[in-house]
Amino acid sequence: MKKLILLFLFLPLLSLGQNQTIAEETKFAVGFCFSPEYSYRYLQTDIDSIKFVKLISDTTETADFGFATGISVLYKLNSRFVIESGLLYSKKGYKNIATKLNAFDPNDPLIPQKISIYYTYSYFSIPLKLNYILLDKRLKLYVSAGISANFFIKGRTKTESEYSGKTNITYLDADNDKFSKLNIELLAGLGADYDINRYFKLRLEPVFRRSLSPLSDSDIKTYLYSGGLNLGVYYKF
């Protein structure tokens, strides 16, 4: 009888220990991530007669800010490897270096003093990455590499014309039929996960993205690339 009473007393402790083990062995996590990014493009052409266009573009265009955000899903294969996928919305592009005009009469209200042009491209992305865990403690460090299938949504050009005392902004949607519907992107990163508790963790991950396929099938091919800081909050289950 005494043994039976002791068994009932220890059952809650045994159950708690089992639940903690299950929590520690959690393999799935889902989270929300946001990555502010600095993006640009690389131009390539094999046609000698238009290489001057590439040179002009390289001197008149520069990087611009973009972002990627969405849902990320993690599956822990073992103590070292984690598979990551999800669904992201991203906006990336570049801009023209601001062109100054109207040098002779800067107060002329009909001629802009400066013009800036921004080229942006929107995608839905499905990434597939493999994360290798370097340090598996409450603070986890890892390196990652993979690819992303980016599905083109639209392209848009924004023009900012600065006049004396005001700025006019105009938008022009690109001819989307000219762009590749699917863009393959290379991913690489180095990150850190911090376990807040058994159920939630935070992520901080510098990440690099580089297109393996061009924006469109043209004489001068445009390859987008970007660097950003991926921030995430994950729920483990």
Side-chain angles (χ1 to χ4, degrees):
M1 186 66 180
K2 290 182 178 180
K3 292 182 179 180
L4 187 59
I5 294 173
L6 289 173
L7 179 60
F8 277 106
L9 289 174
F10 280 104
L11 272 176
L13 296 176
L14 292 173
S15 176
L16 179 59
Q18 289 176 351
N19 290 337
Q20 287 177 340
T21 300
I22 292 171
E24 289 172 358
E25 294 177 353
T26 296
K27 291 183 177 294
F28 283 98
V30 61
F32 172 79
C33 58
F34 177 79
S35 176
E37 299 190 343
Y38 203 47
S39 64
Y40 197 35
R41 87 295 177 274
Y42 170 74
L43 301 179
Q44 185 178 45
T45 182
D46 296 325
I47 303 175
D48 292 335
S49 60
I50 61 172
K51 285 186 176 180
F52 75 95
V53 178
K54 174 184 178 302
L55 293 175
I56 293 173
S57 297
D58 285 340
T59 57
T60 58
E61 295 171 349
T62 187
D64 193 18
F65 289 101
F67 68 89
T69 187
I71 302 300
S72 175
V73 179
L74 308 176
Y75 178 73
K76 190 172 183 179
L77 294 172
N78 52 45
S79 62
R80 288 298 178 188
F81 291 98
V82 176
I83 293 178
E84 180 178 350
S85 188
L87 179 62
L88 305 177
Y89 172 78
S90 64
K91 184 175 287 187
K92 57 192 68 182
Y94 50 95
K95 64 183 179 181
N96 270 91
I97 298 172
T99 303
K100 294 183 178 181
L101 304 172
N102 202 5
F104 297 104
D105 187 4
N107 296 318
D108 189 332
L110 300 178
I111 301 177
Q113 298 176 356
K114 186 169 64 174
I115 293 179
S116 302
I117 304 175
Y118 301 81
Y119 306 92
T120 59
Y121 307 94
S122 301
Y123 291 89
F124 282 125
S125 303
I126 301 177
L128 182 61
K129 295 198 301 176
L130 184 64
N131 302 339
Y132 178 74
I133 299 173
L134 301 172
L135 177 65
D136 192 11
K137 301 292 184 182
R138 188 170 187 176
L139 176 65
K140 295 176 175 61
L141 301 179
Y142 65 91
V143 293
S144 66
I147 61 172
S148 176
N150 300 338
F151 299 92
F152 184 79
I153 302 173
K154 67 177 181 179
R156 171 174 281 191
T157 300
K158 181 178 78 171
T159 303
E160 292 185 355
S161 303
E162 296 185 17
Y163 297 84
S164 178
K166 67 175 183 176
T167 300
N168 286 347
I169 299 177
T170 58
Y171 294 93
L172 178 64
D173 290 334
D175 184 357
N176 294 335
D177 292 335
K178 294 182 179 180
F179 295 93
S180 302
K181 301 304 179 184
L182 175 63
N183 184 278
I184 303 300
E185 188 176 59
L186 177 68
L187 307 174
L190 171 65
D193 288 344
Y194 180 75
D195 293 327
I196 300 174
N197 52 39
R198 289 187 298 172
Y199 302 106
F200 290 96
K201 69 177 180 179
L202 299 177
R203 165 165 291 188
L204 179 66
E205 180 190 22
V207 62
F208 175 77
R209 314 174 195 267
R210 204 279 194 189
S211 295
L212 298 179
S213 49
L215 266 175
S216 61
D217 186 16
S218 57
D219 291 336
I220 298 180
K221 299 186 183 304
T222 301
Y223 298 86
L224 297 174
Y225 64 88
S226 63
L229 185 62
N230 186 33
L231 308 171
V233 179
Y234 287 81
Y235 175 75
K236 300 178 288 181
F237 61 96

